[in-house]
Amino acid sequence: MTTIFAISLASTAIIAIVILIAYYRLNPFIVLFAVSLLLALVSGMPPDKVVASFEAGAGHVLGHVGTIIALGTMLGKMLAESGGADRIALTIAERAGRQRVDWAMMIIGLLIGLPVFFEVGVVLLFPLAFILASRTETPILRVALPMGAALSVTHAMIPPHPATLLALSAYHANTGRTILWGILMGTPIAAIAGPIFARYVAPRIKITQVNPLAEQFLNREIPENLPGFFITAFTILLPVFLMLIGSFADLVTAPHSAINQVLHFLGNTDIALLVATILSFYVLGLARGFSRETILRFTNECLGPTALIMLLVGAGGGFGRELMDSGVSKAITDAAVGAHVPLLVLAWLLAVVVRLASGSSTVAMSTAAGIAGPILAHSPAVSPELMVIVTGAGSVAFGPINDAGFWQMKEYLGLTVPQTLRTWSVLETLIAVFGLVFVLLASLVI
């Protein structure tokens, strides 16, 4: 397969995905599945191997990521139903004070964003944002935008979020080091795109529309008997601590020793989340007076909305496998290596392009990782962990109007479309740009 043909085929596939999702409004899973099959057939793969290749790629990814999505969703559900999210938010806001409520909301977003999806975090925290803005007489944009920035950063750059896990697999990155670097770089990025940007833009945006959602939330009563702050925070952060311990086990114990193997086992992403989720059933469930039947209902009903996320992640894995098995990835890899294209920039640009047109950060990250992953295998000098972070940064660029998050923020804040573009879209672009800048700086020392 010639390089020109391979690049043309991959470009056509990406453009087709973009147009079919963004313009024709087709289901993203169906689009990724169909385009993957067509790409393989046009490349010359035998028809009997085309479907098997997609199934192998999707199955490989979902075999791991599906478990993570399920456990993370259950943990987030327990956090919401128990009032744990309310406790975290109110405690941090009280300690921060009125003048720093925007910084408090950023910290809240970073903490709550670790175990829950972006969309869930928005629904979970906006009632508290409205309450805090009202009580402290702070413009809602100064409170809500830092929260949104933090949720977006954790969603894009810090495992165990689904698309990030897919990139971890594609790049063969270390989970603990990715979390560590993601937190170290994501926190200042969230500060720039959150409180700092919000303080600049809030006085320049006048919200004139009546917001019925705000009134509804302001009338919401926060339960008096909330779980304790420290036990809630411990439950949220436990999987992160376990994964970090597992990643650095070889530095503190003898490799292959019994204690070393135990630490690696506990640090496995699946096990770390399983331990935290089971703990939440007690400290945020039984200890709060919920019956076993109620906890079972919570864990069952929360899984329904994750179906599309699982399908998209699986389809992204299938698309990447088709690129590899068809020979398209190899041809592009050879061309990229020969042309000395900066791989970190290439991965970021690929994610930005797909994000801008498709709207989905999950599709953007999975598509970019599927293309850049094989190239990384020939570039040992590039950090796989930085590849995950830079791809995630690019996957949230522009906050385009074909992204569900755009309309979520618009409706919750009562903004017009132009106002949402000037606030949320700029915020997302700041995350993408500074994500690239921070990664490039980090690449000088890693």
Side-chain angles (χ1 to χ4, degrees):
M1 181 182 298
T2 65
T3 300
I4 294 177
F5 178 69
I7 294 175
S8 300
L9 190 57
S11 300
T12 302
I14 293 174
I15 293 171
I17 290 171
V18 166
I19 293 175
L20 292 173
I21 294 175
Y23 184 76
Y24 288 101
R25 301 293 182 184
L26 296 182
N27 183 283
F29 171 76
I30 297 295
V31 170
L32 279 169
F33 186 20
V35 171
S36 297
L37 298 181
L38 287 173
L39 178 144
L41 289 171
V42 173
S43 71
M45 277 184 68
D48 60 331
K49 294 184 178 180
V50 169
V51 176
S53 176
F54 183 88
E55 290 176 344
H60 174 73
V61 170
L62 283 178
H64 174 56
V65 177
T67 305
I68 301 302
I69 294 174
L71 292 171
T73 302
M74 292 179 191
L75 179 57
K77 181 68 171 179
M78 295 305 300
L79 183 68
E81 295 292 346
S82 68
D86 294 308
R87 169 59 72 196
I88 293 288
L90 291 175
T91 301
I92 294 178
E94 288 171 2
R95 298 291 176 86
R98 175 178 174 179
Q99 297 302 319
R100 295 183 295 275
V101 68
D102 46 358
W103 290 94
M105 284 305 294
M106 184 197 81
I107 296 172
I108 292 166
L110 290 173
L111 283 175
I112 302 299
L114 287 174
V116 303
F117 302 134
F118 173 83
E119 294 81 2
V120 177
V122 168
V123 173
L124 202 61
L125 293 181
F126 246 113
L128 293 161
F130 282 120
I131 291 170
L132 291 176
S134 175
R135 290 178 178 175
T136 60
E137 298 181 349
T138 305
I140 184 59
L141 288 177
R142 268 192 59 180
V143 179
L145 290 181
M147 173 200 76
L151 290 173
S152 186
V153 165
T154 56
H155 173 82
M157 300 182 188
I158 304 175
H161 285 276
T164 314
L165 289 173
L166 177 61
L168 276 170
S169 176
Y171 296 138
H172 302 288
N174 179 279
T175 304
R177 286 197 291 270
T178 304
I179 291 175
L180 180 61
W181 283 110
I183 292 173
L184 290 177
M185 285 186 273
T187 302
I189 292 171
I192 294 169
I196 294 174
F197 172 66
R199 291 192 177 198
Y200 167 79
V201 76
R204 293 167 172 79
I205 300 292
K206 303 299 180 184
I207 301 176
T208 57
Q209 298 182 12
V210 176
N211 190 347
L213 282 174
E215 297 299 323
Q216 173 186 328
F217 292 138
L218 289 174
N219 293 330
R220 166 183 175 268
E221 293 185 4
I222 297 177
E224 294 182 3
N225 185 26
L226 296 175
F229 173 80
F230 290 105
I231 189 62
T232 305
F234 176 77
T235 305
I236 293 172
L237 297 175
L238 179 59
V240 176
F241 291 147
L242 290 176
M243 284 185 274
L244 286 173
I245 289 171
S247 296
F248 293 99
D250 291 343
L251 297 178
V252 296
T253 60
H256 308 298
S257 64
I259 186 65
N260 179 266
Q261 292 181 18
V262 169
L263 292 179
H264 276 296
F265 178 77
L266 292 175
N268 178 277
T269 310
D270 292 5
I271 301 302
L273 268 174
L274 176 63
V275 171
T277 303
I278 292 175
L279 177 64
S280 76
F281 291 162
Y282 177 74
V283 299
L284 301 179
L286 295 175
R288 308 305 307 156
F290 292 121
S291 66
R292 289 180 174 84
E293 290 75 15
T294 301
I295 295 173
L296 176 62
R297 177 170 58 82
F298 288 160
T299 56
N300 286 338
E301 69 184 18
C302 71
L303 294 178
T306 67
L308 180 59
I309 296 173
M310 290 192 186
L311 287 173
L312 284 177
V313 170
F319 178 70
R321 184 62 176 264
E322 297 283 24
L323 287 169
M324 294 176 63
D325 291 349
S326 65
V328 172
S329 283
K330 184 179 185 305
I332 295 175
T333 297
D334 294 342
V337 172
H340 303 291
V341 177
L343 189 52
L344 291 169
V345 177
L346 175 63
W348 185 84
L349 286 173
L350 286 170
V352 167
V353 170
V354 179
R355 161 68 162 175
L356 178 60
S358 72
S360 169
S361 61
T362 301
V363 173
M365 199 165 186
S366 61
T367 303
I371 295 173
I375 303 177
L376 179 63
H378 298 269
S379 306
V382 180
S383 165
E385 292 75 29
L386 292 184
M387 285 289 290
V388 174
I389 295 171
V390 82
T391 306
S395 74
V396 299
F398 297 114
I401 60 175
N402 50 347
D403 173 32
F406 178 95
W407 299 102
Q408 239 185 330
M409 298 301 292
K410 174 189 177 299
E411 294 303 318
Y412 272 107
L413 291 171
L415 300 172
T416 64
V417 170
Q419 287 175 330
T420 312
L421 289 169
R422 292 170 58 192
T423 53
W424 181 247
S425 296
V426 173
L427 180 155
E428 292 277 76
T429 304
L430 287 172
I431 293 174
V433 172
F434 279 98
L436 175 63
V437 171
F438 276 57
V439 164
L440 292 177
L441 292 174
S443 68
L444 299 176
V445 297
I446 297 180

